[in-house]
Amino acid sequence: AQKITQTQPGMFVQEKEAVTLDCTYDTSDQSYGLFWYKQPSSGEMIFLIYQGSYDEQNATEGRYSLNFQKARKSANLVISASQLGDSAMYFCAMREGLSGNTGKLIFGQGTTLQVKP
Amino acid sequence: ETGVTQTPRHLVMGMTNKKSLKCEQHLGHNAMYWYKQSAKKPLELMFVYSLEERVENNSVPSRFSPECPNSSHLFLHLHTLQPEDSALYLCASSQDNYRPTDTQYFGPGTRLTVL
């Protein structure tokens, strides 16, 4: 079974509108971390936002917010006021607490976001 | 230089060549990672180093040989590669590697083509 599922291979959004990228995860750990990364066509993986499993508040970083619904095991990324520079691939990732000292991140397949002018 | 840097950015090599990828982090982190990103596949963790000791080898073929001489530098030595090894190789670092909160910061990657 996939640990991280991103069901939207591609998304379009109009400039200045908000968009939600979906991510569901599967773990039996109580302690885990959820991450979102942005990968432009240049290839570098840019860290956007982090949510811990024990965090009661949804994480926010500027125009990025994470809609964390623990019972549903979902961690959707919301981008407000989309900009043309937001066009990229977006990856959801999880770090399980029981992965020991490997620090292993499990990535989803990614969602390609295109922002239309 | 800031963050995580990788050289070269692009590499084309034949199956009999030997080459090395270099990663350097300027963040004062203790853990470093190599990932492989193939087309249409999720990122795959290859190796993890913590304080210069290898703590994870994710069933990577021996034609990939990592080296971590100090906590700021990480190398990936390549020899007798196969065309299916063509991919984007990403290096990352984090403060430590044992907490779920340890955020990994990535370099720009090396795009490798094996002919």
Side-chain angles (χ1 to χ4, degrees):
Chain A
Q2 287 191 10
K3 293 260 188 178
I4 296 284
T5 303
Q6 295 181 252
T7 56
Q8 307 151 313
M11 293 273 290
F12 288 93
V13 65
Q14 205 66 39
E15 193 178 8
K16 298 180 186 177
E17 292 186 350
V19 63
T20 298
L21 307 183
D22 295 340
C23 173
T24 57
Y25 59 92
D26 182 26
T27 182
S28 55
D29 287 1
Q30 296 301 309
S31 176
Y32 52 89
L34 297 159
F35 303 82
W36 276 92
Y37 287 88
K38 171 185 177 182
Q39 188 177 40
S41 56
S42 57
E44 62 184 306
M45 196 75 72
I46 302 166
F47 166 69
L48 295 178
I49 195 166
Y50 163 81
Q51 179 84 44
S53 59
Y54 293 118
D55 294 341
E56 294 186 355
Q57 304 272 359
N58 285 343
T60 59
E61 287 285 350
R63 294 186 298 111
Y64 304 108
S65 60
L66 203 152
N67 184 1
F68 181 46
Q69 298 187 45
K70 195 169 181 177
R72 297 178 62 182
K73 294 189 175 178
S74 74
N76 298 339
L77 177 71
V78 180
I79 305 174
S80 62
S82 297
Q83 301 172 356
L84 295 178
D86 293 335
S87 294
M89 186 85 130
Y90 288 81
F91 290 94
C92 179
M94 176 173 63
R95 182 1 178 137
E96 293 178 293
L98 293 180
S99 61
N101 65 348
T102 69
K104 183 176 181 177
L105 275 180
I106 303 166
F107 283 83
Q109 295 274 12
T111 295
T112 300
L113 176 67
Q114 292 192 40
V115 180
K116 293 182 174 181
Chain B
E1 295 271 21
T2 59
V4 182
T5 58
Q6 289 186 244
T7 55
R9 295 294 310 276
H10 299 271
L11 179 61
V12 180
M13 59 186 289
M15 289 192 287
T16 58
N17 291 157
K18 289 185 180 180
K19 296 285 183 184
S20 295
L21 309 185
K22 179 184 175 183
C23 174
E24 184 173 359
Q25 59 97 358
H26 309 268
L27 300 168
H29 288 166
N30 295 320
M32 296 187 77
Y33 311 79
W34 279 116
Y35 285 87
K36 176 184 178 182
Q37 186 178 26
S38 304
K40 299 183 181 179
K41 290 177 75 175
L43 272 81
E44 302 170 71
L45 179 67
M46 300 175 72
F47 300 103
V48 180
Y49 276 82
S50 175
L51 297 171
E52 298 132 56
E53 282 194 34
R54 191 192 309 179
V55 295
E56 175 79 352
N57 176 345
N58 202 24
S59 304
V60 180
S62 59
R63 57 185 184 270
F64 295 92
S65 174
E67 179 190 1
C68 187
N70 55 62
S71 59
S72 298
H73 293 87
L74 185 65
F75 294 88
L76 188 63
H77 304 298
L78 317 171
H79 62 99
T80 59
L81 293 191
Q82 305 297 312
E84 59 264 29
D85 296 322
S86 298
L88 180 69
Y89 289 85
L90 289 159
C91 173
S93 72
S94 63
Q95 184 60 57
D96 293 292
N97 62 318
Y98 53 83
R99 297 172 297 209
T101 55
D102 286 323
T103 298
Q104 294 180 25
Y105 295 90
F106 285 79
T110 295
R111 196 164 294 280
L112 173 67
T113 303
V114 182
L115 301 176

